[in-house]
Amino acid sequence: MPVSSPACVVGLGYVGLPLAVALAEAGVPVVGYDVSTARVAELQDGSSGIEDVADEATRTPGLTFTADVCDLEACQTYVLCVPTPLREGMPDLGAVEAASRAVASVLSAGDLVVLESTTYPGTTEEVVGPLLDAGSGLVAGRDYLLAYSPERIDPGNPTYGIGNTPKVVGGMDDASTKAAVRFYETVCDTVVQVDGTREAEMAKLLENTFRHVNIALVNEMAVFCRELDIDLWQVIEAAKTKPFGFMPFYPGPGVGGHCIPVDPSYLSWRVRKMGFTFRFVELAQEINAQMPSYTVARLGDLLNDAGIALSRSRVLCLGAAYKPGVADCRESPSIEVMRQLRRKGVTVAYADPFVPDLVLDTERLAAVPLSDLGAYDAVLVLTPHAGFDLELVRREATLVLDTRAALAPGENVYRL
Ligand SMILES: NC(=O)c1ccc[n+]([C@@H]2O[C@H](COP(=O)([O-])OP(=O)(O)OC[C@H]3O[C@@H](n4cnc5c(N)ncnc54)[C@H](O)[C@@H]3O)[C@@H](O)[C@H]2O)c1
């Protein structure tokens, strides 16, 4: 199959849109398909809606957007980049299933289908393949090619993007793997081939579980280092001078985003189905989930020391998104911290240049400017976007709880 044959990217969010743009820039004609007509209209109007993708990129020659599955008929490669959330702690493959059915309705012999959504091992061949077969009347491996390739995109990362992040690919058979490798070589400098779809699915879960567990490790350390009066951030800086065998992770108010709090649950759910418990993941989840409450308790203690009751305090939270440089508030620990503060009677305001407003429980809050800092009893640094004037915060705030070690030390600045 020539790589310049038309490709379809299914799901035009943080993962799908950058891929669609990269493919089009590489000369592959791309139809971007999304079930959300609002999302398609936004893209057709020239607005990317994603920080890392410039609005102009939506007008890349060869790139079109549609919410009509009939427009996909001519495509020969389909890449599924749809969400894989949790519902009541369980994997919710509803979008993957719906996307598979949509692709099945236009699938032709010889086509290649690649799943990129993060999911438990077995999904490509046990869920996607059977739906494609049933809807198309074709047979995976015989009539069309089927592969999995985990997306490793790191929104807001100025160094690593699609081109220079190695891409792992595993097909259900040799022909599928080879076709998927050829496809990704059009946009990725390095394509790493594994034996099958399960290995590729598992590679992603290992990466994210590794991160999840190590963040939990430092979060737990942060709690007792406080009691021991040890500066954990200094400890990490010291440990990271070891040139081998150590990788730094940093504590914070919890974990957020679409991946780290969610993906390990896909793995532990799959492992549970076999009668095992994935103890590492469950412990890490427990520790990371406690961090918003720990942050609130720590702020309460600091305010108490200053003679102010938490319940009567005014607190400015810096950063609602789950990490710097993005607007994504999914699973953001900042939101959970703000919710808990409000439940304790705190008057909460927040600043975030990427998030103009948000809904906390049922109330809509608008972001406030980073000014008049003396009017707050405390400033709580949750997500230090590069645009924040942290020097101003250090100078003007009465009390700062810095959960990310983003500020230079000062008499009024406390770390988690
Ligand atoms: N965001 C990240 O940093 C990141 C990184 C690596 C992997 N992933 C994984 O990639 C997948 C997609 O994540 P995302 O962050 O791009 O999600 P997203 O919510 O930003 O975008 C998903 C898009 O898919 C669309 N969609 C939903 N159901 C659909 C369907 N049936 N057919 C067509 N379109 C549909 C939605 O309307 C939305 O526009 C998830 O499995 C996620 O875990 C995300």
Side-chain angles (χ1 to χ4, degrees), residues 9-18 33-37 39-40 43 50 66 80-85 94-102 115-119 148 150-155 204 208 257-259 262-263 266 322-323 328 330:
V9 175
V10 180
L12 300 170
Y14 279 92
V15 166
L17 183 65
Y33 167 73
D34 202 293
V35 271
S36 162
T37 47
R39 177 69 180 134
V40 170
L43 292 164
I50 288 176
T66 185
L80 311 190
C81 306
V82 295
T84 42
V96 170
E97 290 166 359
S100 304
R101 286 192 196 97
L115 177 64
E116 283 210 7
S117 303
T118 309
T119 184
Y148 181 81
E151 178 50 60
R152 287 168 153 176
I153 201 158
D154 183 18
K204 172 73 183 180
N208 282 0
H258 192 7
C259 293
V262 175
D263 303 348
Y266 269 70
Y322 81 95
K323 70 176 197 171
D328 195 347
R330 285 178 290 186

Side-chain angles (χ1 to χ4, degrees), residues 189-272:
D189 300 342
T190 309
V191 179
V192 180
Q193 189 175 318
V194 292
D195 278 355
T197 54
R198 283 176 187 75
E199 284 74 15
E201 289 163 334
M202 191 65 192
K204 172 73 183 180
L205 294 180
L206 172 60
E207 290 165 18
N208 282 0
T209 304
F210 172 82
R211 219 173 139 64
H212 185 61
V213 165
N214 279 288
I215 293 170
L217 174 72
V218 287
N219 276 339
E220 190 167 44
M221 278 191 174
V223 174
F224 63 73
C225 276
R226 165 72 31 219
E227 298 304 316
L228 291 168
D229 198 20
I230 294 171
D231 181 343
L232 179 59
W233 284 268
Q234 241 187 75
V235 172
I236 296 168
E237 290 314 299
K240 100 182 193 203
T241 59
K242 186 179 177 186
F244 48 87
F246 182 81
M247 181 184 281
F249 287 87
Y250 298 92
V255 289
H258 192 7
C259 293
I260 303 300
V262 175
D263 303 348
S265 299
Y266 269 70
L267 188 52
S268 62
W269 176 85
R270 183 68 188 86
V271 169
R272 263 185 189 280

Side-chain angles (χ1 to χ4, degrees), residues 38-395:
R39 177 69 180 134
V40 170
E42 182 183 28
L43 292 164
Q44 286 171 336
D45 284 350
S47 171
S48 95
I50 288 176
E51 306 79 34
D52 294 337
V53 180
D55 288 343
E56 305 85 84
T58 59
R59 290 184 283 272
T60 305
L63 176 59
T64 55
F65 302 106
T66 185
D68 183 353
V69 77
C70 297
D71 293 338
L72 315 183
E73 298 265 0
C75 295
Q76 288 174 267
T77 301
Y78 297 87
V79 188
L80 311 190
C81 306
V82 295
T84 42
L86 293 172
R87 188 187 293 164
E88 288 162 15
M90 309 259 283
D92 176 2
L93 288 185
V96 170
E97 290 166 359
S100 304
R101 286 192 196 97
V103 169
S105 70
V106 287
L107 197 66
S108 305
D111 289 353
L112 165 68
V113 181
V114 187
L115 177 64
E116 283 210 7
S117 303
T118 309
T119 184
Y120 58 80
T123 308
T124 309
E125 289 182 48
E126 293 161 19
V127 177
V128 176
L131 287 169
L132 292 171
D133 289 3
S136 66
L138 302 171
V139 177
R142 187 191 72 188
D143 303 321
Y144 68 95
L145 305 151
L146 180 62
Y148 181 81
S149 178
E151 178 50 60
R152 287 168 153 176
I153 201 158
D154 183 18
N157 188 327
T159 311
Y160 289 104
I162 287 180
N164 61 354
T165 305
K167 193 88 171 103
V168 173
V169 169
M172 69 172 293
D173 52 25
D174 198 39
S176 298
T177 306
K178 285 202 172 90
V181 167
R182 264 202 313 280
F183 173 71
Y184 283 108
E185 278 174 349
T186 53
V187 283
C188 303
D189 300 342
T190 309
V191 179
V192 180
Q193 189 175 318
V194 292
D195 278 355
T197 54
R198 283 176 187 75
E199 284 74 15
E201 289 163 334
M202 191 65 192
K204 172 73 183 180
L205 294 180
L206 172 60
E207 290 165 18
N208 282 0
T209 304
F210 172 82
R211 219 173 139 64
H212 185 61
V213 165
N214 279 288
I215 293 170
L217 174 72
V218 287
N219 276 339
E220 190 167 44
M221 278 191 174
V223 174
F224 63 73
C225 276
R226 165 72 31 219
E227 298 304 316
L228 291 168
D229 198 20
I230 294 171
D231 181 343
L232 179 59
W233 284 268
Q234 241 187 75
V235 172
I236 296 168
E237 290 314 299
K240 100 182 193 203
T241 59
K242 186 179 177 186
F244 48 87
F246 182 81
M247 181 184 281
F249 287 87
Y250 298 92
V255 289
H258 192 7
C259 293
I260 303 300
V262 175
D263 303 348
S265 299
Y266 269 70
L267 188 52
S268 62
W269 176 85
R270 183 68 188 86
V271 169
R272 263 185 189 280
K273 270 187 58 173
M274 298 183 303
F276 298 108
T277 313
F278 196 167
R279 288 172 293 163
F280 258 114
V281 164
E282 297 191 1
L283 180 61
Q285 264 159 347
E286 199 183 300
I287 293 168
N288 287 333
Q290 282 167 1
M291 292 313 287
S293 319
Y294 176 72
T295 304
V296 169
R298 176 107 179 87
L299 182 66
D301 289 348
L302 289 168
L303 284 168
N304 194 45
D305 292 347
I308 300 162
L310 181 68
S311 59
R312 285 196 292 277
S313 63
R314 294 191 66 205
V315 173
L316 174 65
C317 295
L318 294 198
Y322 81 95
K323 70 176 197 171
V326 302
D328 195 347
C329 289
R330 285 178 290 186
E331 314 288 332
S332 173
S334 307
I335 304 287
E336 182 56 25
V337 167
M338 287 193 250
R339 242 186 225 130
Q340 291 191 19
L341 287 172
R342 280 161 55 95
R343 276 186 211 134
K344 290 192 181 296
V346 177
T347 305
V348 174
Y350 84 97
D352 191 313
F354 294 91
V355 184
D357 56 39
L358 54 83
V359 177
L360 275 188
D361 299 322
T362 51
E363 199 185 324
R364 183 169 290 279
L365 290 192
V368 299
L370 202 59
S371 60
D372 207 8
L373 297 173
Y376 299 96
D377 296 306
V379 174
L380 179 54
V381 180
L382 296 166
T383 302
H385 292 297
F388 284 140
D389 185 348
L390 295 176
E391 188 43 39
L392 177 83
V393 174
R394 204 178 66 90
R395 263 197 335 267

